[in-house]
Amino acid sequence: MEDKLKIGDKELDSRLFIGTGKFADYSLIPKVIESSKAQVVTVALRRVDFGTPEENMLTFLSQNIVLMPNTSGARNASEAIRIARIARAAGCGNWVKIEIINDQKYLLPNNFETIKAIEVLAKDGFIVLPYMSPDLTAAKMMAEAGAAAIMPLGAPIGTNRGLKTRELIQILISEINLPIIVDAGIGRPSEAAEAIEMGAAAVLVNTAIATADDPVLMAEAFGQAVDAGRKAYLAGPGATHQFAEASSPLTGFLRNE
Amino acid sequence: MLVTINGKKSDVIPDSNIQDVIRTKNLEMTAIIIDLNGNIIAPEHWSDTFLHKDDDLEIIQIIGGG
Amino acid sequence: MTFNDEAERFQNLNLTNMMERFTPFQIDQILAKSEIQWQEFLGLLSPAATGLLENMAQAAHKLTIEHFGRTILLYTPLYLSNYCVNQCVYCGFNQANDIPRRKLTLHEVELEAQAISITGLQHLLILTGESRQHSPVSYIADCVSILRKYFSSISIEVYPLSTEEYADLISAGVDGLTIYQEVYDQQIYQRLHPAGPKRNYSYRLTSPERAGDAGIRTINIGALLGLNDWRYEVFFTGIHAAYLQNKFPDIEVGVSFPRMRPQFGDFEPEYRVSDSDLVQSIAALRLFLPRIGITISTRENAFLRDNLLKLGVTKMSAGSSTAIGGHTDAIDSIGQFEISDRRTVKEMRETISKAGYKPILKDWHDLNAGRIDETTSVT
């Protein structure tokens, strides 16, 4: 059965997006991508630190991967817009994950600045995937501004605490006519499966894989969990019943009809 | 001549081009992106783009990120 | 885009066919879901769901309490005028009917208001027939400016208006709109409305949206059950309500389930809607739209109303009269249709309390309305 995830100009088979931060060694990344079968990976842009220049991330990524540079470090819309344009000029393609954070305590995203950045970048031809705090009104405004998908957080970034915002994400899945991708917070494959099973279009996982004892094996587990979740979603879960036989029937009076 | 490189005031030799700056910083040419005063400069123009006083030069690289 | 476009999309589907294909097993599965889409709503209205009515009722009961608590809002209708230029074949006020026509003077409106407000009711629904000559928008506005002194919420059930006219009535003190499409099937609609401006199906269909654009606070829609296959009509009412909820997230959307009642004239409803059909309609709508208000009027008898109380209903009329001047009995006139539940407001309040529910007389107060008795305490 054909079941593709369509975002912007791309049709994807994998519903697992992978972040490339926090890996002990970049050489692990190609193996992680291979074992997880992920097709979309995020990268970040940084000013070169002249003391300790890092290796070029791009050399570890094959040509057929969809790159999704993030705008991490941006504190407002105009910084995010500038970072997105630099990334595109640098050959990262036209996808961008907008991430605007001016809360250094919890690292929660700024939905208002994010909406402003989407408006500009979508008009400029970008495929815009905003990272956001799950809020229906904000998500609607992001969709209107031209977002290609909505990426609500499951829990604060990097916490591995799972789908803490489940109820809010469920509302976005029901109400927003765009792919909902759970970004941040997912700590275990079972949580990734849960998100996909409830109708999320994809999940973005970074910390949980990068900080596992065996990142390559964990990436494979995530890939399989996401597949299982998707199959369960498509299969339609069976009925669970809350009342076996009601003690006080509500429709008994109809027998008089 | 004072210019800003990655947010810090730096002294560079007058009439330097971008290529010269990269060389003095010992950077790997294929791994970086140059943004001069908000405009991206393609690698083929690094040698014919000269710096002026108070220019804002950003030297950026792509790293791992989530 | 208006609901016209949305309705057209669904009118092109063979809904009857789709409904007949549902199996009891599928209905069981739908009942296990936490969110219900229109396809599943159709399933809950299908013949296959009839056998699972008790399960549907239990689920609807639980959802209603989750969203509304154990409360029933009470309101009463006030008929201002029975002049009408339409010939709705099912209606007692049909232009062709030879009945005494009259409209309340502003003095009579005040007497009616006083009689109603003694009962404690604070939510009022005012109604007129369609006659821009006898009951123009300016007359309705004049009535409202009197009524707002006595009531915290005033809804209108009058002929379709333009956005500007709705805005005028809102600034006069109206906060709610009730307008029934009567029948969503367009062919039947044309047949039952042979003359008058009401023949314009689309203008009526898009009235709630115009009121929404004008800034109304609540909208109540419905289909007159008995004019067509109830499954089809309730389905369209549901998607219409869903459309309005989606388009106006800040408006309270509600649905009424008016079943045909005997009225002056000789119209016989072609389609039977049993009590069990009504229960299925209410439960299906509650499961499809958990936050929707559901109204049952005094068209239904006391026994049925008491039993429907727990199935998803949130609003009931009480102490109703469908005759002009019916609250003061000052004038003898023929009503729009027959009332079944003739209990007084006091009796209704007691009945609701006995069932373990709280009768609500007021859930809304407009601070800008400047009601005489409360302005001082507000400022």
Side-chain angles (χ1 to χ4, degrees), chain C residues 127-298:
Chain C
L127 302 91
T128 69
E130 175 151 14
S131 169
R132 284 182 177 265
Q133 186 197 338
H134 291 99
S135 45
V137 175
S138 57
Y139 166 73
I140 300 170
D142 289 344
C143 293
V144 170
S145 61
I146 292 167
L147 295 167
R148 70 192 300 187
K149 293 187 291 183
Y150 298 91
F151 302 100
S152 69
S153 168
I154 301 170
S155 295
I156 47 168
E157 186 170 350
V158 303
Y159 46 93
L161 304 177
S162 69
T163 309
E164 295 69 33
E165 289 170 327
Y166 282 126
D168 287 347
L169 289 181
I170 289 165
S171 55
V174 166
D175 62 275
L177 170 77
T178 289
I179 189 161
Y180 301 152
Q181 186 60 22
E182 321 291 16
V183 58
Y184 281 90
D185 182 292
Q186 235 185 106
Q187 279 180 344
I188 298 177
Y189 184 94
Q190 299 302 344
R191 184 154 49 79
L192 296 178
H193 302 100
K198 196 166 172 179
R199 280 190 65 71
N200 192 336
Y201 174 93
S202 307
Y203 193 65
R204 190 173 188 84
L205 193 65
T206 51
S207 299
E209 287 164 72
R210 288 194 299 280
D213 289 335
I216 202 92
R217 193 182 67 87
T218 67
I219 292 176
N220 193 44
I221 59 169
L224 201 43
L225 301 177
L227 301 179
N228 183 21
D229 178 1
W230 64 271
R231 301 180 200 275
Y232 179 94
E233 291 298 319
V234 172
F235 175 75
F236 270 91
T237 310
I239 60 162
H240 194 180
Y243 169 88
L244 292 169
Q245 263 192 345
N246 209 29
K247 181 163 180 173
F248 303 105
D250 54 345
I251 289 179
E252 235 177 86
V253 180
V255 166
S256 293
F257 287 96
R259 267 200 298 187
M260 285 300 306
R261 292 288 305 152
Q263 73 297 316
F264 185 90
D266 53 9
F267 180 79
E268 275 298 318
E270 274 177 66
Y271 296 84
R272 200 180 109 81
V273 185
S274 69
D275 289 354
S276 157
D277 298 338
L278 190 62
V279 167
Q280 190 177 347
S281 302
I282 293 174
L285 186 76
R286 170 60 66 227
L287 296 175
F288 178 47
L289 301 172
R291 294 182 297 114
I292 208 88
I294 295 180
T295 301
I296 285 291
S297 78
T298 51

Side-chain angles (χ1 to χ4, degrees), chain A residues 125-142:
Chain A
F126 282 91
I127 306 297
V128 188
L129 296 91
Y131 169 58
M132 54 102 67
S133 275
D135 172 84
L136 180 58
T137 306
K140 279 184 176 169
M141 290 169 84
M142 288 176 187

Side-chain angles (χ1 to χ4, degrees), chain A residues 174 239 241 246 249-251 253 257, chain C residues 28 32 35 54 58 274-276:
Chain A
S174 306
H241 294 285
L250 290 167
T251 56
F253 71 96
E257 247 194 308
Chain C
D28 201 35
E35 294 273 337
E54 176 62 26
Q58 293 287 352
S274 69
D275 289 354
S276 157

Side-chain angles (χ1 to χ4, degrees), chain A residues 140 170-171 174-175 236-243 246-254 256-257, chain C residues 28-29 32 35 53-55 57-59 61-62 246 249 272 274-276 279 303-304 307 310-311:
Chain A
K140 279 184 176 169
Q170 182 69 67
I171 290 171
S174 306
E175 300 296 327
T240 52
H241 294 285
Q242 286 161 341
F243 22 81
S247 48
S248 53
L250 290 167
T251 56
F253 71 96
L254 291 172
N256 299 336
E257 247 194 308
Chain C
D28 201 35
Q29 299 229 299
E35 294 273 337
L53 203 53
E54 176 62 26
N55 294 9
Q58 293 287 352
H61 171 67
K62 185 169 159 281
N246 209 29
R272 200 180 109 81
S274 69
D275 289 354
S276 157
V279 167
F303 172 77
L304 183 63
N307 279 293
K310 294 182 173 170
L311 295 180

